[in-house]
Amino acid sequence: MESTELLAATDQCLAKAADYIRAGQLVAFPTETVYGLGADATSDDAVARVFEAKARPTFNPLIVHVASLDEAENFAHFNQAARMLGKVFWPGPLTLVLPIRSDARVSKLALAGADTIALRVPRAPIAQKLLLAVGRPIAAPSANPSGKISPTSAAHVLRGLAGRIAAIVDGGACPVGLESTVISTGVPPALLRQGGLAQAEIERVLGVPLALPDDADGAASPGRDLSHYAPDAALRMNATEARNNEVLLGFGAIDGTENLSPDGDLTQAAANLFRLLHVLNGLGRPIAVAPVPEEGLGLAINDRLRRASGQR
Ligand code: TXA
Ligand code: MG
C-alpha cells in the first residue's frame, strides 16, 4: 500500500507528475474521454505495475499516448487512411491500431504480444502538457479496476485505485465522457470499439463503411469480450419505468432518479453516463436505464450499457 497524492493541474504539479512517470510510477490524469492510468510506455516495470494496479489480464494490450501525429509515426506504419484519420481527428477521442515499427521504443508488455500498437493523441490540455513534460510515450488504460465503471473524475479514480498508484492529477470532469473510438486501419478499416468519436463521422472522412468485426475475428480487439463497466447490482436497459427496487436512469422525456440528458442530447448523455452510473451505483440498488437511440454517440452509450448489463 502506498499513499496516493492528489495533484492540482498546475505546471508545478504536472512537473511532479512527469517526474513520477519517468521514475516508473503510476499517475492518473484526465483526458477528454476518461481518466487514464499513465505509465512510461518504454518501461516494462512501469507497464507491469499498470496491469497489477488494475488487476487487468496481461493479454489485454494498452493504448500508447503520444503528443502528435508526427510523433505517432515513430511507432507505427501509417497507410493513407490512417494518416488521413490522424490528420482530421487528432488530437481527439480516436485510437488507431496499426502495424508496429520494428524500431519502436515501447515495452512489449504494453502490446501483450501483438505486432500492432494502439496509438492515441489526446486533446485535453493537461494530457498534452503531461506528454510534453514526460518526453516519452505514455501507456494509459482507463484508471479504474479492471471490469468496473470507468472514471470521469479524480474522485472516481480515488474510489477505485487509492493506495495502488502514486498520484492523481485532478483536472475536473472529462468533457467527452466515453473512451476513445478504436479503429484498425486494415483494408477495409474496422471498428474495434465504439467510443467518443461517432462511427458516422469516421465513415464520412473515409468515404467507406467501417467493417464491424463483432461477427468476425474475435481476437481483433482482445479487450472486447471481457466483462466491463459493471455496477455492483444488476443493470436493465430499455426500461420505461423502475420495477421493484430499481432506480431509473432517465433519458429525454423518460425521467428518473437521474437523467442522462433531459433534452435528449446524446453528446450530453455521453458526458454524463459514467458519472451517473457511479452515483446510482452508490445507492446500492439495481439500475434500470431508459432507451437511448441507436445513432451517433448513442451507439457507444448502448455498447457500454450492454456490457454493464452483462450482455455482449
Ligand atoms: O479513451 C481512451 O481510450 C482511454 C484514455 C485513457 O485514453 N483509454 C482506454 O484504455 O480506454 P483501455 O485500456 O481501457 O482500453 C483500450 C482498448 C482495449 O479494449 C484493448 O483491448 C484495445 O484498446 N487495444 C489496445 N491495443 C490494441 C491492439 N494492439 N489491438 C487491438 N486492440 C487493442
Ligand atoms: Mg477501460
Side-chain angles (χ1 to χ4, degrees), residues 31 33-36 54 56 60-63 65 95 97 114 116-118 120 140-142 178-180 182 192-193 220-224:
T31 79
T33 59
V34 299
Y35 274 68
K54 279 181 61 94
R56 179 180 176 110
N60 191 11
L62 306 180
I63 296 174
H65 297 68
T95 294
V97 173
T116 53
I117 182 169
R120 178 158 109 79
S142 50
L178 292 173
E179 293 90 343
S180 61
V182 181
L192 303 187
R193 178 176 75 181
S221 193
R224 222 187 45 211

Side-chain angles (χ1 to χ4, degrees), residues 29-30 66-68 91-92 121-134:
F29 65 98
V66 293
S68 65
V121 178
R123 178 168 69 208
I126 294 171
Q128 278 283 334
K129 283 188 184 174
L130 189 62
L131 281 163
L132 291 181
V134 170

Side-chain angles (χ1 to χ4, degrees), residues 284-299:
R285 287 157 56 186
I287 301 169
V289 187
V292 175
E294 285 279 5
E295 64 192 33
L297 290 182
L299 292 167

Side-chain angles (χ1 to χ4, degrees), residues 48-291:
R49 287 197 183 99
V50 171
F51 286 98
E52 194 187 333
K54 279 181 61 94
R56 179 180 176 110
T58 50
F59 60 78
N60 191 11
L62 306 180
I63 296 174
V64 175
H65 297 68
V66 293
S68 65
L69 172 59
D70 270 359
E71 203 188 320
E73 300 224 24
N74 293 327
F75 294 90
H77 299 287
F78 281 66
N79 62 20
Q80 230 181 351
R83 197 165 288 121
M84 184 156 69
L85 292 177
K87 278 194 176 136
V88 174
F89 294 116
W90 279 349
L94 172 71
T95 294
L96 296 176
V97 173
L98 302 161
I100 191 164
R101 287 175 59 126
S102 57
D103 59 351
R105 280 203 48 219
V106 62
S107 159
K108 291 225 166 20
L109 198 53
L111 311 174
D115 50 10
T116 53
I117 182 169
L119 289 167
R120 178 158 109 79
V121 178
R123 178 168 69 208
I126 294 171
Q128 278 283 334
K129 283 188 184 174
L130 189 62
L131 281 163
L132 291 181
V134 170
R136 297 177 196 162
I138 298 180
S142 50
N144 53 315
S146 190
K148 302 293 189 189
I149 304 168
S150 294
T152 55
S153 73
H156 296 160
V157 179
L158 263 182
R159 208 175 292 160
L161 296 176
R164 309 183 66 89
I165 63 180
I168 303 174
V169 180
D170 186 349
C174 302
V176 174
L178 292 173
E179 293 90 343
S180 61
T181 303
V182 181
I183 299 289
S184 81
T185 57
V187 183
L191 178 66
L192 303 187
R193 178 176 75 181
Q194 295 275 8
L197 177 64
Q199 177 182 349
E201 285 199 52
I202 298 169
E203 290 177 335
R204 191 168 43 75
V205 167
L206 287 174
V208 293
L210 290 164
L212 303 176
D214 270 359
D215 25 40
D217 181 7
S221 193
R224 222 187 45 211
D225 295 327
L226 296 168
S227 158
H228 265 113
Y229 314 106
D232 298 322
L235 183 144
R236 182 169 68 88
M237 294 174 68
N238 298 315
T240 48
E241 60 191 9
R243 291 183 196 150
N244 306 322
N245 190 30
E246 285 173 345
V247 282
L248 182 63
L249 178 54
F251 177 80
I254 299 184
D255 208 10
T257 305
E258 298 284 352
N259 194 319
L260 287 167
S261 168
D263 300 334
D265 178 280
L266 289 168
T267 303
Q268 185 182 37
N272 283 330
L273 177 68
F274 291 137
R275 180 178 66 81
L276 294 179
L277 286 178
H278 276 281
V279 168
L280 295 182
N281 191 43
L283 303 179
R285 287 157 56 186
I287 301 169
V289 187

